[in-house]
Amino acid sequence: MRVKPLFVIISTLSLFLAVVLIYPSPPVTPSKSSDSTSAKSDIWSVQRIVEWRPCKWWLQSHLTPLPAKSNGFIRVDCYGGLNQMRRDFCDGVGIARLLNATLVLPKFEVAAYWNESSSGFSDVFDADYFITQMNGFVNVVKELPPEISSKEPHRVDCSKRKGQFDYIESVLPSLLKYHYVSITPAMSQRRDRYPKYAKAALCQACYRALKLTESLEKKANKLLEAIPKPFLSLHLRFEPDMVAYSQCQYSGLSPTSMKALEAARGDDRKPWTGEAARIWRNRGKCPLTPNETAFILQALSIPKNTNIYLAAGDGLMEIEGLTSIYSNVVTKSALLSGEDFETMHGNTKAALDYYVSINSDSYMATYFGNMDKMVAAMRAFEGLYKTLFLSRRAFAEFTSRGLEGKLLMEALWKAHKDDFIKGRGSALSDCFCEFKL
């Protein structure tokens, strides 16, 4: 009785082996390398292990009450482009709280290259919204009281000091003496020495309280709605003054670009040559050309039919290097009416680029300037993590080793993948904390 089941099992196994021998399995196709650019999804599909988020101590902390009496008034004098002025102003808010001063809304002193007159804070940002959002963080006034308004502030020059500038030692005595001072924050300041209530004021100002005026935001929304969706905002820097300032040498530029570049260089911005030029480039000091940018985008498997909004200044050189590969590129000047665009000043254009970039589906930058830092931080604040800075240094190092074609693409993929996974350079350390996923 027990032999029959065993016979059935043996018969079944014999039949199975016969089928396998008669119909062999197809040959196994070798798996493609995980680093092959033709076999993978784009860079955004890579799983991150680190994100930057607003620190809890800032968002959820109980505010240290403001002292009953202010030590005086501080006006922050801001110079340069819009995002540089915004950076300086945010620093100034932290300084005002540090020194227990009342903040006077600043006048923006626009750099000469913007070709526009100076504008007030209220011409760019919603002053009433700012004052409301800063309640409890720092005292803010639009106008000075009558007994002080007729006076010019005592100027404390701290913008070019060497070493770590200490505001308590160097600015507070003047504030107590004159009761109204003006400053431009020092680049070398040590924010890590600020008490948390001063840091919180800076963070609140930069990421919660600065809102564009209603008219500017209306223009920005009009532009945003006109951009085909989804889209990548690309901050590409290859204007003549930018390239001239870098002191980098480029071969193969068009005669038109060379003429514009020579005019921007003048006599004091001659490019590096020889070994010095090689070292300078390998340190990542040279702006990526539009063609190099397109190559890196391909290395990151960004599809060629991607909608790209070009966040760039006027006079961008060699743009055909990008548009010949990525044809769905749109600009402010093409999307806005000619009359509307022609009447815009440089600060207005910069504000539009900033607004569109923080609201884009993804953001990439070929530089790590003031706008890029602000955009990356605001995107992190909003929980938008498709943000990446293209590495000039990696591109220079790999090409100096002779890498090209597929090997160069694979090396660039790995370098940028590591940056994206670890969230490198995606937020400002003062107000954001690293979260491991």
Side-chain angles (χ1 to χ4, degrees), residues 43 48 52 88 90 121 140 152 164 231 296 331 337 339 344 370 372 383 391 410 433:
I43 189 68
R48 295 165 66 98
W52 289 85
D88 288 347
C90 292
F121 178 89
V140 185
E152 282 297 312
Q164 303 302 336
F231 74 98
I296 297 177
T331 62
S337 65
E339 182 179 351
M344 289 182 187
N370 293 312
D372 307 305
S391 178
E410 290 177 350
C433 294

Side-chain angles (χ1 to χ4, degrees), residues 211-283:
K211 177 184 176 184
L212 296 179
T213 62
E214 185 178 350
S215 60
L216 263 180
E217 193 164 290
K218 186 176 180 180
K219 286 182 180 179
N221 271 316
K222 179 181 177 183
L223 176 59
L224 184 62
E225 290 172 2
I227 301 172
K229 312 294 189 300
F231 74 98
L232 160 70
S233 180
L234 176 65
H235 190 207
L236 179 58
R237 299 298 309 272
F238 204 69
E239 305 92 343
D241 61 330
M242 176 70 178
V243 177
Y245 183 79
S246 73
Q247 296 184 274
C248 295
Q249 187 70 272
Y250 293 86
S251 60
L253 299 184
S254 69
T256 302
S257 296
M258 286 301 301
K259 184 178 180 180
L261 185 54
E262 288 302 317
R265 277 179 175 153
D267 297 327
D268 57 343
R269 290 183 177 178
K270 297 300 181 185
W272 296 103
T273 58
E275 182 65 10
R278 186 191 68 81
I279 294 173
W280 189 249
R281 182 173 291 276
N282 282 355
R283 287 176 61 191

Side-chain angles (χ1 to χ4, degrees), residues 79 98 118 206 226 234 277 281 292 315 335 351 356 393 404 420 429:
Y79 301 88
L98 175 70
S118 299
C206 244
L234 176 65
R281 182 173 291 276
E292 291 168 345
L335 294 173
V356 168
R393 184 170 186 170
E404 58 185 12
F420 185 67
S429 58

